[in-house]
Amino acid sequence: MSIERIHKLLNSSRNQIKINTDLLKIMDTDEAILYSFLVPMFQKNLKQQDFRYFNDDLFVPYQTELIESMTGLSAFKQRNALNRLQKKNLLKVKLGQARTKYVSINENPCVLEKMLYGLSYSAFEEAFATCIKVIEKQANKNNSNRINIDSKYFLKCLKNGELFNNTELSELGWLSRVHEDEICDKICI
């Protein structure tokens, strides 16, 4: 079939940018293209140890001409997209000597998760693990037999269940605001 050949041609070059379609829903095309290009570029430069420190943050060189040749984004479009990505806290830009530009990707996945899904699954997992520890602690106080709860297994079950598949249940901020005594008061063992 000819469609298979077209698909092969599209995937035959190493010069590809993979763009998450959810990114296109929350930002414009230029931002999504640039961010999708910069993240692997940042990772590659870190592996090659081509970076500089500015205020304890890692920055890699940003080459406008190279990015224009790879993405088709003009210098003007890149500058605008960079400014918008900075406002979204996804990256930082610094100017070095001789107007050299450096970029640092925000390595905190919670920022992108909140943008994409309305909540941070990482923060949810951390808060949930804390709740599990509190439940385990309270259960062990009230019971002479030691109780161990496998939080990784429990989270895996949750992820496979309806909770993580239903984006309408994104108002889970209550979990991170729950205090240890509130949990202990509500546990019936």
Side-chain angles (χ1 to χ4, degrees):
M1 278 177 105
S2 60
I3 193 71
E4 290 172 0
R5 188 167 179 209
I6 292 170
H7 184 70
K8 272 187 176 179
L9 286 170
L10 288 174
N11 294 316
S12 64
S13 174
R14 296 178 80 198
N15 299 326
Q16 297 178 38
I17 302 173
K18 292 184 179 184
I19 300 175
N20 183 316
T21 55
D22 290 334
L23 271 183
L24 293 169
K25 295 175 187 173
I26 61 169
M27 56 180 69
D28 71 19
T29 308
D30 294 345
E31 290 174 60
I33 289 171
L34 186 60
Y35 188 69
S36 296
F37 180 81
L38 289 176
V39 169
M41 182 198 82
F42 185 79
Q43 189 177 18
K44 179 181 173 187
N45 283 23
L46 291 181
K47 282 182 184 176
Q48 295 174 348
Q49 297 189 356
D50 184 15
F51 56 84
R52 293 183 73 178
Y53 281 99
F54 291 101
N55 299 330
D56 295 330
D57 290 327
L58 291 171
F59 283 81
V60 298
Y62 182 92
Q63 300 169 329
T64 305
E65 299 81 22
L66 172 70
I67 293 173
E68 184 172 1
S69 70
M70 298 298 287
T71 64
L73 296 174
S74 67
F76 176 76
K77 286 184 176 186
Q78 288 179 51
R79 192 170 43 254
N80 286 336
L82 280 173
N83 288 335
R84 290 189 303 268
L85 290 168
Q86 279 188 98
K87 287 179 183 174
K88 292 177 179 170
N89 197 26
L90 292 172
L91 55 81
K92 296 178 188 175
V93 178
K94 294 280 185 199
L95 291 177
Q97 295 176 345
R99 297 181 50 88
T100 307
K101 199 179 284 187
Y102 293 90
V103 68
S104 176
I105 302 295
N106 186 344
E107 295 185 60
N108 182 354
C110 295
V111 175
L112 186 60
E113 286 174 337
K114 284 180 184 175
M115 288 179 67
L116 289 172
Y117 309 115
L119 79 146
S120 166
Y121 290 118
S122 301
F124 174 75
E125 287 179 353
E126 288 174 23
F128 195 78
T130 302
C131 288
I132 292 290
K133 287 178 187 173
V134 170
I135 292 168
E136 199 172 63
K137 182 178 166 184
Q138 183 65 27
N140 288 330
K141 274 186 191 176
N142 296 337
N143 194 347
S144 60
N145 298 330
R146 297 266 322 146
I147 296 174
N148 290 319
I149 301 171
D150 186 358
S151 59
K152 288 181 184 178
Y153 173 76
F154 205 56
L155 280 169
K156 184 180 175 186
C157 291
L158 275 176
K159 283 182 181 179
N160 293 334
E162 189 176 319
L163 178 64
F164 277 86
N165 295 325
N166 187 348
T167 56
E168 292 175 13
L169 297 174
S170 62
E171 293 300 319
L172 296 171
W174 61 269
L175 188 59
S176 62
R177 292 189 303 268
V178 171
H179 296 288
E180 186 172 325
D181 4 326
E182 290 176 6
I183 295 172
C184 294
D185 292 343
K186 294 177 183 176
I187 297 173
C188 298
I189 295 180

